[in-house]
Amino acid sequence: KQEVTQIPAALSVPEGENLVLNCSFTDSAIYNLQWFRQDPGKGLTSLLLIQSSQREQTSGRLNASLDKSSGRSTLYIAASQPGDSATYLCAVRRTQGGSEKLVFGKGTKLTVNP
Amino acid sequence: GAGVSQSPSNKVTEKGKDVELRCDPISGHTALYWYRQSLGQGLEFLIYFQGNSAPDKSGLPSDRFSAERTGGSVSTLTIQRTQQEDSAVYLCASRTDGNTIYFGEGSWLTVV
């Protein structure tokens, strides 16, 4: 059974700091991995998607890496801003027998202080 | 529409009543998912639709839950005889043959 763990559960940093969020998964047979952010009372917004054959993806101040062999992904946020405050979720996508699922971690709640 | 649309956005219902939650996926998206997010919990898979294939209902927590997708587009999640433990945010997502999955804003269900 695929399990996804995110560490830390919560993180508070001063504005301008670079930071890393961690995601680990137990089964390396994944199709891809996607990072989302969730603001309070809102749905999920897709940030970055990494295919299983890729090592990293970048979008603006965000960089996500994937190491399938070790079952790890990191989300790097450069020069953090108060607007980055949200819960960050990683999800691995698995396909099996014509179906597919996203298995989510419980998220890292990020607070960026002005 | 531009994104995944869900309705109602908020629903308060009495224990024992039935509720219907609606999801309008992004036009042209063939895959549709329902997830549930309870307070303090992670996202729980409920059901997956792909085109005309039989849906994967393995995540539905009990036979009080059912879902359908008409014409390969709009989906309805129905909860019969609601219980307090059904209180949660119900999230719908869709994708096309590309890989990025897009979520709606969710339907916030409170059973009193």
Side-chain angles (χ1 to χ4, degrees):
Chain A
K1 177 186 174 185
Q2 178 71 273
E3 294 183 358
V4 179
T5 304
Q6 291 188 246
I7 295 173
L11 182 63
S12 181
V13 300
E15 182 176 4
E17 192 159 299
N18 302 325
L19 57 100
V20 175
L21 307 180
N22 296 292
C23 172
S24 62
F25 47 95
T26 54
D27 187 344
S28 62
I30 65 171
Y31 188 81
N32 59 36
L33 183 146
Q34 196 164 350
W35 282 92
F36 297 88
R37 75 173 272 170
Q38 186 175 31
D39 293 282
K42 299 291 187 180
L44 277 67
T45 300
S46 177
L47 297 173
L48 288 166
L49 180 142
I50 311 176
Q51 300 291 358
S52 61
S53 58
Q54 295 177 323
R55 299 285 291 186
E56 66 178 326
Q57 283 287 328
T58 298
S59 176
R61 294 182 295 108
L62 305 180
N63 176 277
S65 68
L66 174 64
D67 184 341
K68 264 184 57 176
S69 61
S70 66
R72 292 183 174 190
S73 177
T74 61
L75 180 66
Y76 175 82
I77 303 177
S80 57
Q81 303 170 358
D84 294 332
S85 298
T87 296
Y88 290 79
L89 297 157
C90 75
V92 297
R93 179 174 154 197
R94 299 196 65 204
T95 58
Q96 188 173 15
S99 182
E100 63 177 66
K101 296 182 177 69
L102 287 178
V103 181
F104 284 85
K106 292 193 174 180
T108 294
K109 184 176 181 180
L110 174 65
T111 303
V112 181
N113 301 300
Chain B
V4 178
S5 177
Q6 293 189 245
S7 62
S9 54
N10 283 284
K11 175 76 175 177
V12 179
T13 190
E14 292 181 353
K15 177 181 173 181
K17 301 281 190 182
D18 297 351
V19 296
E20 284 190 353
L21 308 176
R22 176 187 169 106
C23 173
D24 271 288
I26 295 172
S27 178
H29 281 200
T30 56
L32 186 149
Y33 316 72
W34 283 98
Y35 279 79
R36 177 169 74 173
Q37 187 176 35
S38 304
L39 187 64
Q41 301 296 313
L43 278 89
E44 175 188 8
F45 168 80
L46 296 178
I47 189 168
Y48 167 73
F49 295 92
Q50 171 59 271
N52 296 319
S53 302
D56 178 356
K57 303 180 180 181
S58 61
L60 295 178
S62 77
D63 59 8
R64 296 186 296 105
F65 288 72
S66 63
E68 63 177 21
R69 189 178 184 193
T70 54
S73 180
V74 172
S75 177
T76 302
L77 177 68
T78 301
I79 309 173
Q80 296 178 310
R81 305 181 302 281
T82 51
Q83 304 294 313
Q84 288 186 329
E85 62 262 29
D86 299 335
S87 296
V89 182
Y90 290 83
L91 292 160
C92 177
S94 72
R95 67 164 180 81
T96 183
D97 290 341
N99 290 291
T100 300
I101 295 171
Y102 298 91
F103 278 81
E105 292 291 299
S107 289
W108 297 69
L109 175 66
T110 303
V111 182
V112 298

